[in-house]
Amino acid sequence: MRPVKSRRTHQKSRSGCSNCKRRRIKCDEKKPICTNCANHEVECIFSARGSSEVSSAASGSLSPTERCPREKKYRFRTSQYTTEIWKRTAQSPTLKSTETQHKDVSTEASTDFISMPDLQLFHHFLVSTIPTTVDDEHGRAVWQNHVAQWAFEFPSILHLILALSALHMGHEKPGLREQYLQQADDHFTFGVQSVTAVLSELNADTCQKVYISAVMICFAYFGRGPRPGEYLVFSDNGPAEWLVLMHGVKLILESHHSKVFSGILEPKPSSDVANMSPPMQNELQEHIAQVQGLQRLVDLQHSWDAGDRVMYLSAIDNLTSTLEEVYLKRSLHKPAVGLMHILIGWLYRLPRDFVAQLERKDSLALVILAHWAGLLKYMESVWFMTGWGEHVLNGVCAFLPADLWGWVEWPMERVQKE
């Protein structure tokens, strides 16, 4: 790393690019792309308008919720990027190559921009954040030894590491939350934009790094907390933002599944032996009875064809299997974050037709989702999952007819129980 040079005064400029203005750093104004944007591999936009106009234009691209002054500090300002990434991927399922070449972030020039706050975030990620995202020593070693190294080869991973670490710091230090959320916002922007640049080049050499980037984007989405009107699989209006992210992960795995889960990311067989206590066994059986009881609601529908009936019953059966996996995992008394892949796995496997029913606010689909959301109670101790179960259930109740509320009393009682 180069020695730190003494600061020199410089002529303030009002014609720098929008990225540098937003980050409040000096722009060298090189055209068509300034040095800062080149090193971070993001789009560089110059404008002849004043800085206030640029800021207004940027805020104008956000949803009304994100423009609200009271809410803004709790939200990433770039949620539109997360949607656009996977929309572009979905529109190009063949993932054709482009002439864009992926640069190595570990160049000499890029080290000039590793600031002391960034180093602190990186250290915090290695020491404190990683243990909150995995539940075993193998997973911890993968993130500390390999993913951390990838950060210096793959810009998106570096910035998403810093974004996730900043969110974690904001959670641990509420008094400095606004400061850390600003850091998370900046790094999330660069992380998402840089992974966008390489999606069209997805291949056997980059798929693991892109997959890890996608996973971290999803973690960051949860880490910024529940958003009004967004309920993971459905929203007040239009497609759910998080579901678009999930679709992007699906596309990566469908095209390179065997390569992604090979080498250092190959799953290791567990030697843990589940030993479920009698009280937990009784709780499991009671919970299974509640979920399987949803079949009665299916039987009450007489206007469906055979395909609809099979779709709903399959979702209920898969939820029962997920429920059993959750209780077996809980019986190991490991960190609750280990439930993440089990619970998200149920959403991942939902067929498109069932998701479409959720987007249409179909009552039975919402009731089934509510019983899945009740399981999120078991992840309340994970900092980035706090409040999500109750949030999704509130979204379900907002669109569920009052005469069906009795069907979601069980999961509501679970998430509200201290």
Side-chain angles (χ1 to χ4, degrees):
M1 182 177 292
R2 293 178 177 177
V4 178
K5 298 179 180 179
S6 59
R7 297 188 61 181
R8 295 177 297 175
T9 59
H10 60 272
Q11 183 70 31
K12 292 185 177 180
S13 170
R14 296 185 180 273
S15 57
C17 76
S18 58
N19 279 331
C20 290
K21 286 182 178 180
R22 181 177 54 77
R23 298 185 67 216
R24 297 183 177 90
I25 60 176
K26 181 182 178 182
C27 180
D28 60 13
E29 302 175 23
K30 288 185 179 180
K31 303 290 183 67
I33 180 170
C34 75
T35 301
N36 292 339
C37 291
N39 288 329
H40 287 89
E41 298 185 350
V42 297
E43 183 180 8
C44 186
I45 301 175
F46 287 90
S47 174
R49 295 175 296 175
S51 59
S52 61
E53 290 181 279
V54 173
S55 299
S56 298
S59 63
S61 64
L62 301 178
S63 66
T65 299
E66 292 171 310
R67 288 198 297 270
C68 176
R70 194 174 74 174
E71 295 289 338
K72 183 176 180 181
K73 66 179 180 180
Y74 298 106
R75 311 291 174 217
F76 288 121
R77 295 176 300 175
T78 54
S79 61
Q80 69 270 30
Y81 291 117
T82 64
T83 302
E84 288 303 317
I85 283 180
W86 306 121
K87 279 185 178 179
R88 295 180 190 180
T89 310
Q91 292 168 358
S92 305
T94 55
L95 301 170
K96 298 178 181 178
S97 297
T98 67
E99 295 180 359
T100 305
Q101 296 298 315
H102 181 57
K103 297 180 181 179
D104 192 327
V105 76
S106 59
T107 58
E108 182 181 7
S110 66
T111 59
D112 292 341
F113 297 92
I114 300 179
S115 64
M116 184 60 68
D118 288 349
L119 287 175
Q120 291 173 335
L121 289 178
F122 195 79
H123 177 264
H124 180 81
F125 180 81
L126 293 176
V127 174
S128 301
T129 306
I130 287 177
T132 70
T133 62
V134 295
D135 70 336
D136 57 27
E137 290 300 323
H138 171 70
R140 185 176 304 184
V142 168
W143 282 86
Q144 288 179 332
N145 299 332
H146 300 285
V147 175
Q149 178 59 42
W150 285 351
F152 297 102
E153 305 167 2
F154 207 73
S156 61
I157 291 180
L158 176 60
H159 287 293
L160 291 169
I161 279 177
L162 300 180
L164 192 59
S165 179
L167 287 170
H168 188 213
M169 290 282 278
H171 173 79
E172 291 191 333
K173 300 180 179 180
L176 298 174
R177 179 174 171 79
E178 186 171 356
Q179 171 189 324
Y180 286 119
L181 288 180
Q182 179 61 56
Q183 288 180 268
D185 183 10
D186 290 342
H187 286 297
F188 187 79
T189 299
F190 285 122
V192 172
Q193 288 181 334
S194 56
V195 77
T196 305
V198 299
L199 272 175
S200 59
E201 298 177 333
L202 188 65
N203 54 47
D205 294 328
T206 62
C207 63
Q208 286 187 320
K209 298 181 179 69
V210 173
Y211 171 73
I212 289 295
S213 298
V215 168
M216 296 186 71
I217 288 172
C218 289
F219 277 163
Y221 184 91
F222 282 113
R224 69 183 181 177
R227 299 183 58 191
E230 288 282 340
Y231 308 105
L232 295 182
V233 198
F234 71 99
S235 66
D236 286 349
N237 299 292
E241 188 176 73
W242 183 83
L243 198 64
V244 177
L245 301 179
M246 175 63 74
H247 184 56
V249 175
K250 272 190 175 183
L251 289 172
I252 296 169
L253 295 182
E254 287 172 357
S255 57
H256 293 88
H257 186 280
S258 60
K259 180 60 180 177
V260 168
F261 296 113
S262 64
I264 63 173
L265 296 187
E266 182 178 359
K268 302 298 181 183
S270 175
S271 58
D272 297 322
V273 178
N275 184 20
M276 198 178 303
S277 66
M280 185 175 286
Q281 290 178 358
N282 293 335
E283 182 184 336
L284 170 60
Q285 293 307 314
E286 184 181 3
H287 210 149
I288 288 176
Q290 290 290 331
V291 172
Q292 292 184 337
L294 300 178
Q295 295 177 4
R296 297 196 306 273
L297 192 55
V298 177
D299 294 336
L300 293 175
Q301 311 300 321
H302 303 292
S303 59
W304 291 344
D305 58 30
D308 289 334
R309 180 180 174 82
V310 169
M311 177 184 67
Y312 287 108
L313 291 178
S314 176
I316 294 171
D317 288 342
N318 286 333
L319 185 54
T320 302
S321 299
T322 298
L323 179 60
E324 293 172 339
E325 283 189 73
V326 166
Y327 274 78
L328 286 173
K329 192 75 172 180
R330 289 179 62 210
S331 71
L332 298 175
H333 303 290
K334 286 193 170 185
V337 71
L339 299 175
M340 188 76 173
H341 73 281
I342 299 174
L343 292 174
I344 300 304
W346 184 78
L347 295 182
Y348 181 90
R349 294 187 297 271
L350 286 178
R352 179 59 206 167
D353 289 345
F354 189 89
V355 172
Q357 291 294 83
L358 286 170
E359 291 174 344
R360 287 193 285 267
K361 317 300 190 298
D362 171 76
S363 297
L364 180 52
L366 289 174
V367 168
I368 295 173
L369 179 68
H371 281 262
W372 170 84
L375 294 173
L376 294 178
K377 173 65 177 181
Y378 301 126
M379 293 195 69
E380 278 290 309
S381 61
V382 181
W383 67 273
F384 55 82
M385 294 302 296
T386 302
W388 276 100
E390 189 169 2
H391 177 71
V392 174
L393 278 165
N394 287 338
V396 167
C397 290
F399 293 98
L400 194 65
D403 61 336
L404 293 178
W405 285 354
W407 289 92
V408 299
E409 284 183 358
W410 170 266
M412 284 296 293
E413 291 174 357
R414 306 302 294 179
V415 300
Q416 293 174 353
K417 185 177 180 181
E418 293 296 333

